Amino acid sequence: MWHTALLRLQLQPDNYRYLTHNLPTNNPKDSRCRNLLTNIEGINTRGQHYNGEYSRDGVTVYYTNGKINIGKNSECTQYQAFVHVNFAKLLTRDEHIDLPYPEHTPEILSKLETYLKDIFAEYEPPYKGRGRKPKRGLKNLDELEVSRVDYTTQIEGLTQDKINAYIRCLNKGDLSRLNPESTKKGYTGMFKGSAYIKAKTVTVNIYDKADEMRNKERSTSDIKSAEGILRIEIQCKRTKIMHICKQHNIKPTMRNLMNPEISKEVISYYLETIGGTHDYRRADDAATIIKRSDNTPKTMEHMIFIPKYLNNHKTARLSEAKEALKANTSQSTVDRTIKALKAIEINPVTLPVNSQIRTLPNLLSVAQEHWKAEEDIEHTAVPF
């Protein structure tokens, strides 16, 4: 249900200097730094210190310092440690195609806490000058705030045609509620590899796992194992995490956020937001159902307009089709049209007329069926 996370720890200036004085710096030209992050929350980590002692176990610490605005034209230097965690590597010291199960959470948290207590053995907790000064070191994992978590699931056993069809349909989905900063562009970008949508609070990345493995030049056996897998990742940034914590009345700690129900809730929300809830039908089949409905001729014309627009404009998204309809009618007409399509269970995004696939189950329902099946399986061993 989760792939990676980023934890944050505020440091005092002297403690920062003490913790980093013998550490190497992140130099992209150094082969040892090849897999290191170069940007964390907009902070450039090039030339800054890192601790890779437990990188093989999925835990890498990045130390950053930089100026921040504190108001009234004043600045101060902020000292932080960011801990990047790969949960699969924490369990097995290797990256794997399978994801950890919720049953492995206690082991993951226990290992992570052990490593971080060692890394931050000389950490100095905040002291306000009253009472006994706290002891050096971390008390527990809850002292670190979660800055990002990737809620993740994957659908297995898909044909390549179905993987490509899902990526196409998701890339043509509705982005109007996400206000994206970055998306896949052009015909090739929208129809191959992944549906990638970067917004202010989350990044949605739904991709062909085998294609990713090929791009990483992984072994033939790894690529073979990844075939048929569609990976779904919702990368929640700090703003989204704070919203989740407010909703659930919890603190932004790893123990609280590694909750399978929260993971399902977040993934479901974005799958529905982008892809709706109804199955994808071939465009000609959808048009036939619309024409047989009891809507008025004008409403049917508007209902057919949206999927027709999406198929005629290869790189258009549903949000653009709705704007095109609005340009010739009104927002209320667009709203009524979408409601009418939902009423007869037609997804506005359709498959091409020449598609060999006539009906493709909605990805949200597929994910929910996958989770239900997983509940009936007792996962006691590491899945790799």
Side-chain angles (χ1 to χ4, degrees), residues 326-378:
K326 179 183 173 182
N328 296 317
T329 57
S330 65
Q331 183 60 52
S332 60
T333 299
V334 174
D335 295 340
R336 285 196 303 271
T337 301
I338 296 298
K339 188 176 180 180
L341 287 166
K342 286 182 179 179
I344 59 172
E345 298 186 350
I346 293 292
N347 195 314
V349 176
T350 57
L351 300 165
V353 175
N354 61 355
S355 173
Q356 296 299 307
I357 303 169
R358 297 195 79 99
T359 304
L360 188 68
N362 184 276
L363 195 55
L364 173 58
S365 62
V366 173
Q368 289 172 337
E369 287 174 12
H370 167 70
W371 295 331
K372 187 170 178 55
E374 287 287 308
E375 287 174 3
D376 298 329
I377 301 171
E378 186 176 350

Side-chain angles (χ1 to χ4, degrees), residues 1 32 145 227 284 309 321 325-326 333 351:
M1 305 300 290
R32 293 172 297 178
E145 177 186 279
E227 288 178 355
D284 51 341
Y309 182 94
L325 178 59
K326 179 183 173 182
T333 299
L351 300 165

Side-chain angles (χ1 to χ4, degrees), residues 59-70:
V59 179
T60 304
V61 180
Y62 299 83
Y63 293 90
T64 67
N65 69 86
K67 300 287 185 184
I68 58 168
N69 192 332
I70 57 173

Side-chain angles (χ1 to χ4, degrees), residues 8-9 123 125-126 137-145 253:
R8 184 171 68 101
L9 185 67
Y123 162 68
L138 290 177
K139 279 196 244 175
N140 55 53
L141 199 53
D142 293 346
E143 291 190 68
L144 290 95
E145 177 186 279
T253 66

Side-chain angles (χ1 to χ4, degrees), residues 116-266:
L116 293 184
K117 281 185 174 180
D118 182 39
I119 292 170
F120 294 111
E122 297 301 319
Y123 162 68
E124 291 183 359
Y127 176 56
K128 296 182 179 179
R130 294 190 302 272
R132 182 177 295 177
K133 192 173 183 179
K135 292 181 180 179
R136 286 175 178 254
L138 290 177
K139 279 196 244 175
N140 55 53
L141 199 53
D142 293 346
E143 291 190 68
L144 290 95
E145 177 186 279
V146 178
S147 186
R148 170 183 149 179
V149 62
D150 297 358
Y151 289 122
T152 310
T153 192
Q154 60 190 27
I155 310 303
E156 302 177 8
L158 298 173
T159 65
Q160 190 62 52
D161 283 347
K162 285 188 175 180
I163 288 175
N164 293 342
Y166 275 124
I167 288 169
R168 173 195 178 275
C169 289
L170 291 163
N171 271 319
K172 293 182 77 64
D174 192 350
L175 306 188
S176 58
R177 287 159 64 188
L178 294 182
N179 192 22
E181 298 174 350
S182 175
T183 58
K184 298 290 284 292
K185 303 290 185 183
Y187 185 87
T188 303
M190 287 183 67
F191 291 85
K192 185 181 178 184
S194 70
Y196 181 87
I197 302 147
K198 182 180 179 183
K200 187 176 181 179
T201 60
V202 299
T203 295
V204 178
N205 193 13
I206 302 172
Y207 57 94
D208 179 347
K209 186 63 181 175
D211 185 67
E212 184 215 30
M213 300 296 263
R214 279 189 287 271
N215 290 336
K216 286 185 174 181
E217 298 181 350
R218 297 293 291 270
S219 69
T220 303
S221 61
D222 281 349
I223 295 169
K224 187 73 176 173
S225 298
E227 288 178 355
I229 294 177
L230 186 67
R231 174 70 69 87
I232 302 165
E233 291 181 6
I234 312 298
Q235 302 166 5
C236 298
K237 303 171 191 177
R238 188 183 298 175
T239 308
K240 179 65 180 179
I241 288 170
M242 293 305 157
H243 176 71
I244 292 169
C245 290
K246 186 176 180 180
Q247 273 186 317
H248 293 269
N249 194 26
I250 57 176
K251 292 183 178 180
T253 66
M254 207 68 261
R255 295 181 200 280
N256 289 334
L257 290 163
M258 284 184 78
N259 181 323
E261 294 311 310
I262 292 177
S263 178
K264 292 174 189 176
E265 176 188 300
V266 170

Side-chain angles (χ1 to χ4, degrees), residues 39-40 56 101 162 164 201 258 290 318:
N39 187 290
I40 295 176
R56 191 180 168 192
Y101 300 119
K162 285 188 175 180
N164 293 342
T201 60
M258 284 184 78
I290 291 169
L318 177 54

